């Protein structure tokens, strides 16, 4: 299992490096670096980027603490958060770390049933944020600022992909809303019927597991107070805003004249698309998207790639190294549990 994990780490890193080298070779010139001016504002910007990372991780950790009603203390919550970030970095973004959060919570002493419930809750909160935030940000942004690209064809393509991705996010949100809160019993019956279709027989077991987990989640959450939901959604919003502000910090540091709202608003498009990226951790797609999407704000393509690499270091590569730090604990815990079962 260890060798398999290290192989999964190597793949996205290799993809990211190859794409970065290709883009650098295509656009970068050493003279581009002369355009970068380091001053007091630069240090404020880098400070904002680091603060945004802390804001993001704190929001996620406090969400684990709130959702488990304090059964996970902050130390365990942060450890679970970092392991989720690590698995997000080595799996396709459509899977992400939240899918394995139940395993990490279980390792920290939360029952598997409870962990499954909380995993669905986390997914619902993230999808709800995007469902609400996306149209609000688009409406509050100047016409054309969010979807402006170097070429008109790319402009239309990314705009269409974003709304397709948004439609997928809304669909997932509605399915969770119906299956967990509004019609849990009826939704379970629907999934059971779908599982009986001839063409769906190979998915029957997974559909039954899904319907069972959603019904269990519904029973678990029905008595939660409004305050609990407000707190959980509040830290979810805090975490996502922190995720977006990393790029704002980099622009403030290196290209301070750019509109900070435009930089922030465009992150909703970036992360909506990366949520359905087929590559591990969005490798390759992230670097390319950043280069094409933010290039019109900067002008010098070489600077765009420098910022893209800094962004990936702060939001991606750092979690690979943090994950490697926590992996020995994970494997040691797993070994102890296996020994307990054998004995």
């Amino acid at each position: 299992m260890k060798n398999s994990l290290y192989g999964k780490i190597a793949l996205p890193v290799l993809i990211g490096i190859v794409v970065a080298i290709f883009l650098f070779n295509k656009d970068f010139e050493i003279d581009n670096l002369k355009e970068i001016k380091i001053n007091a504002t630069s240090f404020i910007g880098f400070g904002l980027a680091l603060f945004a990372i802390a804001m993001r991780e704190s929001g996620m950790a406090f969400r684990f603490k709130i959702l488990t009603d304090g059964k996970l203390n902050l130390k365990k919550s942060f450890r679970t958060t970092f392991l989720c970030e690590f698995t997000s970095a080595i799996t396709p973004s459509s899977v992400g770390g939240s899918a394995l959060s139940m395993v990490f919570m279980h390792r920290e002493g939360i029952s598997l049933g409870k962990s499954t419930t909380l995993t669905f809750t986390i997914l619902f909160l993230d999808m709800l944020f995007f469902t609400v935030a996306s149209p609000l940000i688009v409406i509050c942004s100047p016409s054309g600022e969010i979807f402006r690209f170097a070429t008109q064809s790319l402009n239309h393509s990314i705009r269409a992909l974003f709304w397709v991705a948004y439609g997928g996010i809304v669909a997932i949100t509605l399915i969770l809303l119906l299956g967990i809160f509004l019609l849990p019993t009826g939704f379970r019956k629907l999934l059971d019927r779908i599982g009986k279709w001839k063409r769906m027989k190979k998915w029957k077991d997974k559909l039954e597991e899904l319907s069972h987990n959603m019904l269990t989640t519904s029973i678990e959450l029905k008595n939660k107070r409004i305050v609990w939901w407000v707190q959980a959604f509040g830290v979810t919003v805090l975490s996502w805003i922190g995720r977006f502000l990393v790029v704002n910090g980099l622009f403030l540091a290196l290209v301070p004249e750019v509109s900070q709202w435009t930089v922030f608003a465009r992150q909703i498009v970036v992360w909506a698309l990366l949520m359905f990226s087929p590559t591990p951790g969005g490798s390759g797609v992230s670097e390319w998207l950043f280069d094409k999407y933010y290039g019109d704000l900067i002008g010098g393509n070489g600077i765009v790639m420098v910022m893209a690499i800094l962004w990936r270091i702060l939001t991606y590569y750092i979690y690979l190294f943090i994950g490697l730090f926590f992996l020995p604990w994970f494997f040691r815990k797993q070994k102890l549990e296996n020994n307990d079962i054998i004995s």
Side-chain angles (χ1 to χ4, degrees):
M1 185 175 179
K2 287 185 181 181
N3 292 335
S4 175
L5 266 175
Y6 292 134
K8 288 181 178 180
I9 294 170
L11 178 61
V13 171
L14 182 61
I15 294 173
I17 289 174
V18 169
V19 172
I21 290 174
F22 171 77
L23 293 172
F24 262 112
N25 186 58
K26 180 174 175 288
D27 299 318
F28 183 74
E29 294 180 7
I30 195 67
D31 289 340
N32 293 138
L33 296 178
K34 295 178 182 178
E35 300 175 31
I36 299 176
K37 307 296 181 183
I38 303 297
N39 49 39
T41 304
S42 301
F43 289 103
I44 294 173
F46 287 127
L48 173 62
L50 294 175
F51 174 78
I53 293 172
M55 182 176 167
R56 167 187 173 177
E57 301 312 315
S58 296
M60 292 179 67
F62 273 99
R63 183 167 67 176
F64 279 117
K65 188 174 186 296
I66 291 167
L67 294 180
T68 59
D69 297 315
K71 292 178 182 177
L72 288 185
N73 58 29
L74 280 180
K75 179 182 176 181
K76 292 181 178 180
S77 295
F78 271 106
R79 188 158 55 199
T80 302
T81 294
F82 289 136
L83 284 170
C84 286
E85 293 280 26
F86 172 72
T87 52
S88 291
I90 63 172
T91 55
S93 297
S94 55
V95 177
S98 60
L100 289 173
S101 61
M102 66 180 74
V103 177
F104 303 134
M105 284 188 282
H106 183 54
R107 289 281 185 271
E108 296 288 4
I110 305 299
S111 68
L112 195 57
K114 180 78 171 178
S115 299
T116 303
T117 295
L118 298 181
T119 298
F120 275 98
T121 308
I122 290 168
L123 178 61
F124 173 72
L125 291 170
D126 285 335
M127 295 299 103
L128 181 62
F129 167 78
F130 267 90
T131 299
V132 175
S134 296
L136 286 177
I137 289 176
V138 171
I139 291 170
C140 293
S141 301
S143 178
E145 285 299 309
I146 292 186
F147 299 105
R148 190 175 66 199
F149 283 82
T151 63
Q152 196 66 21
S153 59
L154 191 59
N155 187 322
H156 292 312
S157 298
I158 297 299
R159 185 193 295 265
L161 282 173
F162 168 72
W163 288 116
V164 169
Y166 178 69
I169 291 169
V170 172
I172 294 171
T173 307
L174 289 175
I175 288 171
L176 292 171
L177 187 65
L178 289 171
I180 296 174
F181 301 103
L182 301 181
L183 300 168
T185 304
F187 197 78
R188 182 176 186 178
K189 290 179 180 178
L190 175 62
L191 289 178
D192 289 342
R193 286 182 181 178
I194 292 174
K196 292 177 182 178
W197 296 352
K198 288 184 178 180
R199 293 184 179 181
M200 299 297 292
K201 276 190 175 181
K202 64 178 180 178
W203 303 101
K204 182 180 179 182
D205 292 341
K206 289 187 177 181
L207 286 171
E208 287 180 354
E209 183 182 359
L210 175 62
S211 64
H212 173 74
N213 289 337
M214 291 183 77
L215 186 60
T216 303
T217 301
S218 176
I219 295 170
E220 191 78 31
L221 297 179
K222 68 178 181 180
N223 294 322
K224 293 297 182 182
R225 297 178 301 163
I226 295 295
V227 174
W228 187 86
W229 282 108
V230 170
Q231 290 176 336
F233 188 65
V235 293
T236 298
V237 173
L238 180 74
S239 180
W240 277 106
I241 289 176
R243 194 183 298 252
F244 291 0
L245 285 177
V246 174
V247 178
N248 284 88
L250 294 178
F251 268 87
L252 182 62
L254 301 176
V255 197
E257 64 272 15
V258 172
S259 166
Q260 287 293 319
W261 173 254
T262 300
V263 173
F264 180 85
R266 289 190 179 193
Q267 282 289 285
I268 199 75
V269 177
V270 170
W271 286 104
L273 295 177
L274 290 180
M275 198 171 289
F276 295 95
S277 169
T279 60
S283 293
V285 177
S286 300
E287 291 82 358
W288 177 86
L289 187 59
F290 194 99
D291 175 59
K292 299 301 179 185
Y293 196 24
Y294 284 104
D296 69 296
L297 297 178
I298 301 172
N301 287 327
I303 298 178
V304 176
M305 278 313 301
V306 170
M307 294 179 68
I309 297 302
L310 288 174
W311 173 59
R312 290 294 280 169
I313 289 172
L314 293 175
T315 61
Y316 177 69
Y317 291 108
I318 188 175
Y319 297 111
L320 291 178
F321 291 108
I322 290 174
L324 288 173
F325 176 79
F326 283 110
L327 277 181
W329 167 85
F330 179 81
F331 286 118
R332 186 168 60 250
K333 187 108 176 176
Q334 185 181 47
K335 185 177 180 180
L336 288 173
E337 289 181 358
N338 290 339
N339 289 338
D340 288 340
I341 292 172
I342 292 172
S343 60

